[in-house]
Amino acid sequence: MPNDGTLRVTPQPVRRQVEERLREAIVNGRFAPGEHLSDRMLCDLFGVSRSVIREAVRLMEAEGLVEVVPNRGPFVSYLSPADAMQVYEVRGVLEALAGQGFAERASDAEMAELRAVFEEIAASRAGADRVGLLGLKRRFYDVLLRGCRNAYVARMLDQLLNRNTQLRATTLADPDRLPHTIEEIRRIVEAIERRDGEGAWEACREHVRQAARVALRILNQQAREKAEAGRAQAAE
């Protein structure tokens, strides 16, 4: 606070930047599910005041990315297998609508842009930088949502993808997943290039079904390990 007693007002662009950076850190796995997000740590990381951090945390809580525990503070939300299944069920329908809409309404330039992003994904190899891969997938969906010409689908799927990126990072932990992901997205792109709305719909649904299968297998294994660790700790 300045010496003249007036309140220092943080410009809105700074608040938005912190919100975007915090969201990105969560969805890209910089902060893991269950990790404590202390005010001091976030203030030091982003170089802003506690009030700005708390505003950003409140927004992340509203988006479902953060859970505030009474008397303990904010933690990165943990997605249970049941939560993940619900996310994938909704994502499957929304993504199919986006793929169908893109096939039927996107411009030739947008199709070329989608193909170019896919080729970057296809050039990725097992062991590639996870953050880089997540960024490419995010670019793919940015083009898909813009070209589907359905503002409601784009808005709902965009918000859901923030939640789903945590799951996407989970599936990338499976070393065998990337080649399958590439082939699934290839089928989406090829159906779109044929202007085959029905084919794009089904290719999108299949991609989400396969991603759900891998993520749920990993999450169920993690849940079992967590339960076993809890039982072992209680027995000590």
Side-chain angles (χ1 to χ4, degrees):
M1 183 180 296
N3 294 332
D4 61 5
T6 60
L7 291 174
R8 182 175 61 190
V9 179
T10 304
Q12 181 67 20
V14 173
R15 288 200 292 269
R16 281 202 299 269
Q17 288 173 28
V18 172
E19 290 163 0
E20 290 170 1
R21 290 173 63 194
L22 179 56
R23 182 185 297 107
E24 182 179 358
I26 293 171
V27 300
N28 285 344
R30 165 66 174 79
F31 298 128
E35 186 170 346
H36 183 216
L37 302 175
S38 71
D39 286 353
R40 176 178 296 181
M41 182 270 289
L42 294 177
C43 287
D44 290 344
L45 180 64
F46 296 119
V48 295
S49 69
R50 183 171 295 181
S51 64
V52 174
I53 291 300
R54 288 183 173 176
E55 288 177 15
V57 167
R58 278 195 293 270
L59 180 62
M60 297 305 104
E61 183 183 16
E63 293 181 6
L65 295 174
V66 167
E67 178 183 3
V68 177
V69 180
N71 302 318
R72 295 184 61 198
F75 293 78
V76 177
S77 294
Y78 169 77
L79 270 174
S80 69
D83 292 334
M85 188 68 254
Q86 293 178 51
V87 169
Y88 276 115
E89 284 179 353
V90 177
R91 177 190 158 193
V93 176
L94 291 174
E95 190 164 319
L97 283 167
Q100 181 182 43
F102 195 99
E104 295 172 353
R105 296 187 285 270
S107 67
D108 290 344
E110 287 166 333
M111 285 202 174
E113 186 178 1
L114 194 73
R115 164 62 73 169
V117 178
F118 164 69
E119 293 298 344
E120 289 188 60
I121 296 172
S124 302
R125 295 291 178 265
D129 174 57
R130 186 178 70 172
V131 173
L133 280 172
L134 289 172
L136 286 173
K137 286 293 294 290
R138 182 70 233 194
R139 283 172 54 201
F140 183 87
Y141 283 108
D142 285 344
V143 179
L144 189 73
L145 295 182
R146 176 170 16 101
C148 78
R149 302 288 189 276
N150 187 320
Y152 294 98
V153 168
R155 188 179 306 120
M156 289 186 285
L157 185 55
D158 184 62
Q159 183 174 356
L160 190 67
L161 286 172
N162 286 331
R163 197 78 166 107
N164 194 243
T165 300
Q166 289 178 292
L167 296 169
R168 213 176 286 140
T170 298
T171 61
L172 287 176
D174 184 337
D176 299 324
R177 175 60 186 153
L178 182 58
H180 296 289
T181 296
I182 291 171
E183 287 309 307
E184 290 158 19
I185 298 175
R186 186 189 306 278
R187 286 193 286 272
I188 294 171
V189 172
E190 289 176 350
I192 282 172
E193 289 175 337
R194 295 193 304 270
R195 297 283 184 183
D196 179 2
E198 185 176 341
W201 169 286
E202 186 50 45
C204 286
R205 288 300 302 269
E206 180 61 16
H207 174 51
V208 176
R209 278 193 290 264
Q210 293 304 319
R213 181 183 59 80
V214 174
L216 290 170
R217 174 173 54 77
I218 294 173
L219 289 174
N220 280 314
Q221 177 62 31
Q222 291 174 346
R224 285 192 295 270
E225 292 173 355
K226 185 177 181 180
E228 290 170 3
R231 287 194 293 270
Q233 186 176 13
E236 292 178 353

